Amino acid sequence: MVAELATRPQNIETLQNAGVMSLLRPLLLDVVPTIQQTAALALGRLANYNEDLAEAVVKGDILPQLVYSLAEQNRFYKKAAAFVLRAVGKHSPQLAQAIVDCGALDTLVICLEDFDPGVKEAAAWALGYIARHNAELSQAVVDAGAVPLLVLCIQEPEIALKRIAASALSDISKHSPELAQTVVDAGAIAHLAQMILNPDAKLKCQVLLALSQVAKHSVDLAEMVVEAEIFPVVLTCLKDKDEYVKKNASTLIREIAKHTPELSQLIVNAGGVAAVIDCIGSCKGNIRLPGIMMLGYVAAHSENLAMAVIISKGVPQLSVCLSEEPEDHIKAAAAWALGQLGRHTPEHARAVAVANTLPVLLSLYMSPESSEDLQVKSKKAIKSILQKCTYLPALEPFLYDAPPNILKHVVGQFSKVLLPWIFRHTSAESGQLSTTY
């Protein structure tokens, strides 16, 4: 009954006030197995609800009993006990550390070898929740020998187990290059790459995220991900019906593109830039953000790569994001990306300017409602574009609206364009050129 009541948030406070934790603890040792399992399930649901209840599980000395029983009991109890450990560990690094301190990791790793897929899934979930907090906890999970077994779990036929194991590998990889290298050394990349086209959207999300967490750390790790032949396969995910598959695919491409011009060029050659631009046009909000940043990273590397983004009609799409998105952080990313596109040559700057982006950037920079980050990025983008722009029709409106710190760059560009013209067209007969020119 307590386990059933704990599924409803409105009952939690009443159960807590009734001292239900201390009543459940002895039931973990009951002679009837179903009572043990249901008591563990109730504790898990309570601990899952908030951090205070999770702390009560730790303070009540319940964890050592759970860990002991985890190794001895049947599969139903193992799943319930692993659920409690996951529910406690998810809230904070301190609570996750308490689970490590009571020796739970070794027992959870043993559960990854259980014949029952549900036990493996529950153990992988708990290990992932412990590892996600910080590098120290993640290293503890690695030291317990979890990674090779998690790699075996992603090869199992059960989709739910594949998802959770991929998620756990992602949580381990994200903290440092060394931890990501551990995942690579266990052979995870090839198996993850093979699942990119799996029809299950949730599994694809976790696979793409895990590959992103590995690729983000260094050029070498990004190249290892690329060598698993993820291109052009990953580009099909940018057209997926699931928004989060799109987002995670864009994130993976971004994490690879940011490292070197060579990796960015590989993405361009595979058709990645055009595919990302199409993806940005087909979605809204935060789903767009990694794609916007990816275009900025590609454009930042070189003139040729920036021109590849321009030719693929990246500027109009970024301009739409700049104008239409309500969130300042997305506008700031679009402003930054446009600045990277326009900063190379007069040709690049003109391509950005003719899309009418400069007035929008100026209004965002001057608006008191814009966040500080948006104002800073808009200002930098304006300056980067203006310093290369020689297309005077795009600059003229700034003569009337721009503040002095922007106006000086506009006037500077007018002088670069007009002074040579004035010198050329001054009458040779007069011989009178003012030195003030």
Side-chain angles (χ1 to χ4, degrees):
M1 189 63 180
V2 171
E4 181 62 31
L5 288 170
T7 60
R8 302 183 187 93
Q10 63 267 30
N11 298 330
I12 299 293
E13 191 174 346
T14 306
L15 291 169
Q16 189 175 7
N17 293 338
V20 77
M21 288 289 188
S22 58
L23 298 173
L24 287 169
R25 186 178 182 277
L27 297 181
L28 294 171
L29 302 172
D30 198 274
V31 293
V32 181
T34 53
I35 292 176
Q36 294 178 8
Q37 294 154 25
T38 315
L41 183 63
L43 284 167
R45 286 175 177 170
L46 290 164
N48 196 49
Y49 184 71
N50 65 33
E51 193 170 340
D52 291 340
L53 286 164
E55 285 179 359
V57 171
V58 174
K59 289 175 182 174
D61 262 353
I62 293 169
L63 292 181
Q65 181 57 49
L66 281 170
V67 173
Y68 172 76
S69 302
L70 194 60
E72 304 292 327
Q73 297 285 358
N74 63 31
R75 63 195 172 102
F76 301 106
Y77 185 89
K78 286 178 179 178
K79 282 189 272 189
F83 170 55
V84 179
L85 295 173
R86 178 186 110 209
V88 171
K90 79 172 192 177
H91 291 289
S92 70
Q94 292 75 25
L95 288 168
Q97 187 63 53
I99 292 171
V100 174
D101 293 341
C102 73
L105 292 184
D106 291 336
T107 312
L108 286 169
V109 168
I110 291 168
C111 287
L112 290 177
E113 297 182 273
D114 198 275
F115 73 93
D116 184 82
V119 174
K120 290 180 182 178
E121 183 186 334
W125 213 337
L127 289 165
Y129 271 54
I130 293 166
R132 69 174 46 178
H133 288 293
N134 57 45
E136 290 74 21
L137 287 164
S138 193
Q139 188 64 54
V141 171
V142 169
D143 293 343
V147 173
L149 295 171
L150 288 169
V151 173
L152 288 175
C153 286
I154 62 174
Q155 299 170 62
E156 295 285 348
E158 292 80 15
I159 293 294
L161 178 55
K162 285 177 181 285
R163 287 181 199 153
I164 303 306
S167 174
L169 290 169
S170 174
D171 287 328
I172 291 167
S173 301
K174 70 182 183 181
H175 298 291
S176 71
E178 292 76 22
L179 287 164
Q181 188 66 53
T182 303
V183 171
V184 172
D185 292 344
I189 300 300
H191 297 295
L192 289 167
Q194 288 170 7
M195 293 188 283
I196 288 175
L197 290 182
N198 191 288
D200 185 80
K202 290 180 180 176
L203 176 57
K204 276 192 283 194
C205 277
Q206 296 301 340
V207 165
L208 292 165
L209 186 59
L211 291 170
S212 303
Q213 299 290 17
V214 171
K216 74 179 184 181
H217 291 292
S218 70
V219 177
D220 289 343
L221 288 167
E223 286 176 348
M224 287 179 187
V225 172
V226 170
E227 285 166 9
E229 298 182 355
I230 62 165
F231 291 106
V233 178
V234 73
L235 303 182
T236 60
C237 296
L238 296 171
K239 298 178 181 178
D240 199 273
K241 290 183 289 185
D242 188 280
E243 296 282 82
Y244 289 96
V245 172
K246 288 181 180 179
K247 182 181 180 183
N248 288 2
S250 298
T251 302
L252 173 55
I253 298 167
R254 178 193 73 191
E255 298 298 356
I256 293 168
K258 73 181 184 182
H259 289 294
T260 65
E262 291 75 21
L263 285 169
S264 284
Q265 188 65 57
L266 183 146
I267 291 166
V268 171
N269 295 346
V273 166
V276 167
I277 291 167
D278 289 343
C279 179
I280 293 170
S282 69
C283 52
K284 302 287 182 187
N286 277 320
I287 308 299
R288 281 174 158 174
L289 186 58
I292 292 169
M293 294 177 68
M294 176 266 181
L295 296 179
Y297 281 128
V298 171
H301 284 304
S302 72
E303 291 178 19
N304 291 339
L305 288 166
M307 190 52 70
V309 176
I310 291 169
I311 291 168
S312 298
K313 297 186 168 47
V315 174
Q317 198 58 69
L318 289 170
S319 299
V320 168
C321 297
L322 195 66
S323 303
E324 290 184 0
E325 282 296 333
E327 297 288 335
D328 278 7
H329 68 283
I330 300 174
K331 289 182 177 181
W336 169 77
L338 287 164
Q340 298 306 315
L341 281 167
R343 70 182 178 86
H344 294 286
T345 68
E347 189 180 359
H348 291 77
R350 177 169 180 157
V352 175
V354 295
N356 203 37
T357 55
L358 288 171
V360 179
L361 287 167
L362 182 63
S363 66
L364 291 171
Y365 166 58
M366 297 180 68
S367 172
E369 295 177 6
S370 295
S371 67
E372 184 181 352
D373 183 51
L374 176 55
Q375 289 177 335
V376 168
K377 286 190 168 59
S378 296
K379 182 183 178 183
K380 284 184 178 177
I382 291 168
K383 285 186 175 181
S384 298
I385 298 163
L386 286 179
Q387 284 170 356
K388 293 294 180 180
C389 187
T390 55
Y391 181 60
L392 298 186
L395 301 179
E396 282 179 26
F398 279 73
L399 292 172
Y400 309 101
D401 302 327
N405 61 332
I406 300 293
L407 187 59
K408 66 182 181 183
H409 297 288
V410 178
V411 173
Q413 291 308 105
F414 269 93
S415 69
K416 285 180 188 176
V417 176
L418 294 179
L419 279 180
W421 186 89
I422 292 169
F423 276 109
R424 283 198 306 271
H425 290 81
T426 301
S427 171
E429 288 86 8
S430 66
Q432 307 254 341
L433 263 181
S434 170
T435 55
T436 59
Y437 278 136

